[in-house]
């Protein structure tokens, strides 16, 4: 497998927010450096409450939501976030409450699907 890190980004968010992400090709490693939030993955019944120090790996292929409150009706589009990115850091609503570091990894060839295709979302 030829591994490459595709994107490294830090989200520094303040206030209440909910972000709906489309499925991302590859694996995404995420670390909650500060604060807490919820993770909801399409097709996965359990909603996960994440706190400072938690890490989670998304195996790709499913839409997901990160939020301080999953019941928020107004959702942020990822395009809105990335338009606020400077030097790999996205500051949202003044930042300071929740900091999430994410790296998206992509692999070449068919072996990744064999290895990661059976993992839960």
């Amino acid at each position: 497998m030829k591994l490459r890190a595709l994107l490294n980004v830090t989200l520094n968010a303040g206030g209440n927010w909910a972000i709906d992400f489309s499925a991302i090709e590859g694996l995404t490693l995420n670390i909650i450096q500060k604060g807490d939030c919820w993770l909801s993955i399409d097709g996965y019944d359990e909603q996960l409450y994440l706190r400072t120090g938690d890490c989670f790996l998304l195996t790709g292929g499913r839409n997901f939501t990160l939020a301080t409150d999953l019941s928020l009706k107004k959702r942020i589009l990822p395009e809105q976030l990335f338009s606020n990115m400077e030097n790999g850091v996205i500051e949202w609503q003044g930042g300071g409450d929740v900091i999430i570091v994410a790296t998206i990894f992509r692999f070449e060839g068919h072996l990744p699907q064999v290895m990661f295709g059976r993992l839960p979302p």
Side-chain angles (χ1 to χ4, degrees):
M1 288 190 317
K2 291 183 181 177
L3 167 67
R4 61 185 178 135
L6 181 64
L7 176 67
N8 292 298
V9 65
T10 299
L11 172 63
N12 179 7
N16 285 325
W17 47 269
I19 309 163
D20 289 330
F21 290 93
S22 296
I24 296 172
E25 182 183 332
L27 298 176
T28 307
L29 175 62
N30 305 270
I31 302 165
I32 309 299
Q33 285 196 322
K34 178 181 179 185
D36 53 77
C37 63
W38 289 92
L39 170 64
S40 176
I41 303 169
D42 282 0
Y44 191 66
D45 293 334
E46 186 178 356
Q47 297 170 343
L48 304 170
Y49 181 67
L50 306 167
R51 299 175 187 88
T52 300
D54 285 345
C55 300
F56 62 99
L57 182 71
L58 296 172
T59 59
R62 295 178 188 242
N63 298 339
F64 65 97
T65 300
L66 285 171
T68 54
D69 179 353
L70 289 169
S71 69
L72 289 173
K73 299 291 186 226
K74 185 175 180 182
R75 301 298 177 112
I76 303 164
L77 298 174
E79 296 81 27
Q80 291 174 283
L81 290 175
F82 287 106
S83 69
N84 290 322
M85 186 165 70
E86 187 174 316
N87 297 321
V89 177
I90 298 168
E91 188 172 300
W92 190 257
Q93 297 184 153
D97 294 330
V98 179
I99 299 175
I100 302 170
V101 177
T103 301
I104 300 172
F105 297 96
R106 291 228 176 118
F107 301 88
E108 294 180 17
H110 71 282
L111 192 54
Q113 181 59 32
V114 173
M115 290 183 64
F116 305 121
R118 296 187 189 264
L119 291 174

